[in-house]
Amino acid sequence: MSNLKLNTPDSFPAFPFIPYNIQLDLMQHVYTSVECGKVSITESPTGTGKTLSLLCASLTWLRDEQERARKGRLGGSTASTDAPDWVVAQTIERRRRELEAEELEYASRLATARKREAQLRRMTRGHVRKRPRLDDTSDPVGEQSDEEKAFLPDDADHEDDGNCNLSPAVLALMKKLQSGSNATHDEEKEPTCTKIYYASRTHSQLAQVLHELEKLKLKLNLTVSTLQHAREAASSGKRPASAVEDEDSPGDEEGSGARAVSLGSRKQLCINDRLREKAGDLDEACRQMLGEKGKRRCPHLPTVEEETKMLDLRDQILASPKDIEDLFQTGKTADTCPYFGARRAIPQAQLVLLPYNLLLQRTARDALGIDLTGQVVIIDEAHNLTSTLLSLSTTRLPLRTLTNARHQLAIYLSRFKNRLSTIHALHLKRLMNLLDALVQYAEEWRDAQLKPANGGGAKARVPEVEVMTSAELLQKLGRKTEGVNLLEVEKYLRESKIARKISGYSVKTLEKAAGKDTSKLAKLARLASTTPPLHAVESFISALSAASEDGRVTLTIVDGQVEIKYQHLNPATYFQEVVSSARAVILAGGTMAPIDDVVHQLFSDLPSERLSTFSCGHIIPAKNLQTLVLKKGPRGSELQFKYQQRSDEALIAELGQILLNFTNVVPGGMVVFVPSYAFLHAVTKQWKSGGLLDKLNAKKKASAHSSPTYARTSRRPPQVFSEPQQSNEVEAVLRDYAAQIQGSTADGAKKRGALLFAVVGAKLSEGLNFADDLARAVVVIGLPFANLGSPELRERMSYVNRLEQRRRAAAGPATKSPGAKDAGTELYENMCMNAVNQSIGVVDNAGRAIRHRGDWAALVLIDSRYASPRIRNKLPKWIESGTVVADGFGQAMKELGQFYREKKSQASQ
């Protein structure tokens, strides 16, 4: 009804602080976008309260939507009647009381769940829980066949014996009726509600979202005391319940906030210690135990008769927000599987927190029972979205893996050939033919690449790369694949779960062969930590069967081994499923620049009226950020760090002199980003041999970590550090870096500061907090363009060019503006600038260095190409607008010196 349309609020009382104007603008934009069903690209620099603003706006809309739905239910009960007013009033009152009764019952259930959880935690404190004993003993010989029965393929649309007398039409009808009956039962059992799906890259980021959620002063749900008070007030003629629920009284009991659930994988949430210790695929081992009975069944997964245990855990999960670690502990305390408990909580949750892959992959959504229809989707840190979508749709199949898969399938067929039905035997024979053809083609291609040129001579040909479509690959596989329908193969693999069965049987066989041999068990554990070969084959075949003109198959030689890779070139294909289903989609990031690139890659076919964008500045005053483009060095030569020039010793020496001059004026910490690890190693090697690193250490502690071996064996603190290539060393690097900046020396003097070298797009380029003295300057050297020699990149650039040509042909006469570059080149530049924007500030350049309103820093871009308006316009607008292009090195030093003197003067006042 038009009179129920929600108007965007002028204020957001749930926000825990007085919002800045940009925060209020962001919240109003998000609220409007959700209400109007928009797809919004939202840019808000790190340090501006982006996450808190997104939560406040979306949950405020959800509260208003719930009230709108409540009014709709009350009005709907009398919409089609001509009864007298007193009858209508009585009907509305009766319906209101029914709704209140439902809400009271639900609130009481969650309150009981909170008490139950607290009671369980008290009971388990100091109590040692005995691990349930699993039946690991060998089965009697007579039971061996029953054990192996678990490895037989599942039957989907046919009877177990493959000889059902019923027609396919009758079977389909029976299946439809059965599924419809089950769906009806489930709907009655699991009421659903409108919800917010909040996705980010990692669980640590999602845990931070829950931390921000706790700050909101929002009553999204009625509590038992509130409902009882409202009922008493209504019976005494006072205000109705709807008026009471909008109050935010400080005495509200726990439970009025959003019902939230965090989703994770089995590996993160499994509480079966013995299962976690066993070698093999944990996911598959869990799935196998689901169908077991008695002692073989997982003791933490309630049976149908014990369903109340799972419902109790579901209510405990919904009773108070929990991150993945809290969820694990709650399940451990309740002795009930938290993985399935979280799945059961989804229908009644109002806020669902999940990593990218669970939201973006249709198979993952289906497995979890996630239905995005009419729901709100928020994707935070969305600057990674395009690359994530491309990564999720890329499947790699090394020849070694393919060979192992064929070997496992051959052993399986040999062992179970007399127990397989005719239909299963036929399907597996077709699968074997397909694997034989793939192996043969890959080996022949490898031999052709590695054989000596011109049929003789000692020098082998340089390994090449071959790119083809899926149809071309099938043609090259030869006669063995004639008559093989990939769609049928994919359907059979999916429905029979044969890849899981064969992998499980292989692990079981290896376990028996290993016995108690520690070396064999260690090898088995290493094998178990990798993706089972047939799972990789299944993923590859699934990709091929769904292939379109947007897909390419690439053959290349990696580390001496052939790798077959399927790459989907269009990131919008699978994301379109999310966009078309959801009510609204919000893409949020510290910077989404260049926004045009996001639109072209993900939303080129979206109606313009459904797309909206929002970009705001930082909360800091403009004078707190000094942005410089340095075109020339101290010697007056032009600075360009193109790939071909990165080995120029004179250029590297001049770069060292530039940084040495910067250390004379930059206080505290200085973070320097370089294009690659190879370039970082090259410059540090030359600077070390030339003595420049010693000079830098005299000014600041040159910090970026040496090798762990050097750190362990040398008593003298290492003088040169570099960003570690191992993730587990990052924390130590940052700790040592901060220690050289913060605090004072033994004699009370302020520390000299430090210099941190990092690599664009690597581990230190995203998600880290360099507040205050930790980064008084951020320096970016060069432009990190991708390798144009990459066949995948060339194919993608060619693909976007073809798309652009089609759009222009459909739009009529070409209207390409003078000087405009083609779509492929534009994509190439945007990929580079996306990486730059991440590195220089968690997407906000200075956001990397500026984390609050009083913070300040300088950003220096060292490369003359940054002076080009075309490149500079791809920076976030709030940075680009204040950028100064220094014609000479002297001007740059003058600007920096003045900036830091002003800040030092302000600090002393």
Side-chain angles (χ1 to χ4, degrees), residues 357-370 490 494 542 577:
N357 60 312
L358 297 185
L359 173 73
L360 300 176
Q361 291 181 301
R362 184 180 58 189
T363 53
R365 296 198 303 272
D366 292 343
L368 292 169
I370 292 176
E490 188 276 332
R494 173 167 38 86
S542 298
E577 298 172 1

Side-chain angles (χ1 to χ4, degrees), residues 591-662:
T591 188
M592 300 299 293
I595 289 180
D596 287 345
D597 179 60
V598 180
V599 175
H600 288 154
Q601 293 206 57
L602 297 181
F603 307 117
S604 58
D605 296 327
L606 190 73
S608 58
E609 59 271 14
R610 198 186 171 200
L611 183 67
S612 65
T613 61
F614 175 87
S615 181
C616 67
H618 210 293
I619 58 175
I620 64 163
K623 63 181 181 180
N624 282 15
L625 173 65
Q626 174 72 65
T627 305
L628 288 172
V629 171
L630 184 58
K631 296 171 59 178
K632 296 181 179 180
R635 301 171 187 170
S637 56
E638 186 176 10
L639 300 172
Q640 277 200 6
F641 292 88
K642 294 181 178 180
Y643 181 77
Q644 299 85 348
Q645 298 169 293
R646 291 177 190 172
S647 58
D648 186 332
E649 293 185 359
L651 185 63
I652 293 175
E654 189 160 19
L655 174 62
Q657 191 61 45
I658 290 171
L659 296 180
L660 184 61
N661 278 276
F662 284 174

Side-chain angles (χ1 to χ4, degrees), residues 136-401:
D136 289 332
T137 57
S138 299
D139 293 330
V141 177
E143 296 180 9
Q144 185 174 357
S145 60
D146 291 334
E147 177 185 335
E148 291 186 345
K149 186 177 180 181
F151 299 117
L152 290 173
D154 288 354
D155 291 281
D157 296 329
H158 43 79
E159 295 297 318
D160 291 344
D161 60 2
N163 297 311
C164 179
N165 292 324
L166 298 178
S167 69
V170 173
L171 287 172
L173 180 60
M174 291 174 62
K175 184 178 180 181
K176 181 178 180 181
L177 290 173
Q178 184 179 4
S179 62
S181 174
N182 291 338
T184 303
H185 175 71
D186 290 340
E187 282 181 14
E188 292 175 358
K189 191 174 183 180
E190 296 285 350
T192 61
C193 64
T194 303
K195 57 185 92 281
I196 311 290
Y197 285 95
Y198 198 110
S200 194
R201 282 194 321 119
T202 65
H203 282 288
S204 60
Q205 291 171 334
L206 294 173
Q208 182 62 30
V209 173
L210 283 180
H211 178 69
E212 297 295 305
L213 178 65
E214 294 174 355
K215 299 177 182 178
L216 290 181
K217 301 184 295 183
L218 183 68
K219 284 185 59 179
L220 197 58
N221 298 298
L222 301 183
T223 61
V224 175
S225 61
T226 303
L227 281 166
Q228 290 175 342
H229 176 68
R231 181 173 288 183
E232 293 170 1
S235 62
S236 61
K238 296 180 181 179
R239 291 174 299 168
S242 58
V244 177
E245 72 174 321
D246 288 333
E247 292 185 354
D248 289 316
S249 60
D252 286 343
E253 67 177 84
E254 184 182 8
S256 61
R259 298 192 297 271
V261 61
S262 299
L263 301 182
S265 65
R266 284 180 170 89
K267 291 180 181 179
Q268 293 166 318
L269 294 174
C270 178
I271 60 173
N272 189 328
D273 294 331
R274 291 190 180 275
L275 193 63
R276 293 170 68 95
E277 292 170 0
K278 292 181 68 175
D281 183 6
L282 179 63
D283 287 341
E284 178 55 27
C286 175
R287 293 186 185 101
Q288 288 182 4
M289 294 187 77
L290 293 179
E292 299 288 357
K293 296 180 181 179
K295 293 182 179 180
R296 291 186 180 181
R297 182 179 175 84
C298 179
H300 307 291
L301 185 63
T303 61
V304 176
E305 294 76 15
E306 301 173 315
E307 180 69 2
T308 53
K309 289 185 64 177
M310 184 59 73
L311 297 180
D312 286 343
L313 177 62
R314 175 201 65 187
D315 291 344
Q316 289 180 36
I317 293 171
L318 294 173
S320 59
K322 298 172 178 64
D323 61 21
I324 286 296
E325 293 181 0
D326 295 333
L327 190 56
F328 178 87
Q329 290 300 328
T330 299
K332 196 90 170 173
T333 303
D335 197 25
T336 306
C337 177
Y339 173 76
F340 286 100
R343 288 175 58 167
R344 290 297 297 270
I346 293 174
Q348 298 180 37
Q350 295 164 317
L351 177 64
V352 180
L353 305 175
L354 68 172
Y356 280 174
N357 60 312
L358 297 185
L359 173 73
L360 300 176
Q361 291 181 301
R362 184 180 58 189
T363 53
R365 296 198 303 272
D366 292 343
L368 292 169
I370 292 176
D371 182 5
L372 297 179
T373 305
Q375 310 294 2
V376 179
V377 174
I378 297 177
I379 300 179
D380 204 353
E381 305 299 332
H383 54 269
N384 292 303
L385 182 58
T386 300
S387 59
T388 300
L389 287 165
L390 290 170
S391 175
L392 290 174
S393 60
T394 298
T395 304
R396 288 177 169 82
L397 184 61
L399 177 58
R400 182 187 293 110
T401 301

Side-chain angles (χ1 to χ4, degrees), residues 265 285 451 534 736 809 848:
S265 65
K451 71 179 181 181
L534 271 163
D736 293 345
R848 164 81 49 198

Side-chain angles (χ1 to χ4, degrees), residues 507-616:
V507 170
K508 191 77 173 180
T509 304
L510 289 173
E511 283 180 342
K512 289 181 178 180
K516 295 184 178 180
D517 189 318
T518 54
S519 61
K520 290 183 178 180
L521 289 173
K523 182 179 179 181
L524 179 60
R526 289 194 299 271
L527 289 173
S529 64
T530 61
T531 302
L534 271 163
H535 287 209
V537 169
E538 182 177 4
S539 297
F540 183 74
I541 292 176
S542 298
L544 285 182
S545 65
S548 64
E549 62 178 8
D550 296 339
R552 293 293 182 275
V553 177
T554 304
L555 271 76
T556 187
I557 294 181
V558 179
D559 298 329
Q561 293 292 325
V562 177
E563 181 183 78
I564 310 173
K565 179 170 69 174
Y566 176 83
Q567 177 188 20
H568 199 75
L569 302 174
N570 187 356
T573 302
Y574 300 114
F575 191 55
Q576 180 58 36
E577 298 172 1
V578 175
V579 173
S580 60
S581 300
R583 174 194 179 98
V585 177
I586 309 294
L587 307 187
T591 188
M592 300 299 293
I595 289 180
D596 287 345
D597 179 60
V598 180
V599 175
H600 288 154
Q601 293 206 57
L602 297 181
F603 307 117
S604 58
D605 296 327
L606 190 73
S608 58
E609 59 271 14
R610 198 186 171 200
L611 183 67
S612 65
T613 61
F614 175 87
S615 181
C616 67

Side-chain angles (χ1 to χ4, degrees), residues 824-855:
T825 304
E826 189 74 22
L827 171 69
Y828 187 56
E829 286 185 357
N830 289 338
M831 290 171 62
C832 169
M833 290 309 296
N834 282 335
V836 170
N837 287 338
Q838 306 312 309
S839 298
I840 55 183
V842 192
V843 186
D844 351 286
N845 301 302
R848 164 81 49 198
I850 294 178
R851 309 293 296 195
H852 55 82
R853 187 172 180 81
D855 210 351

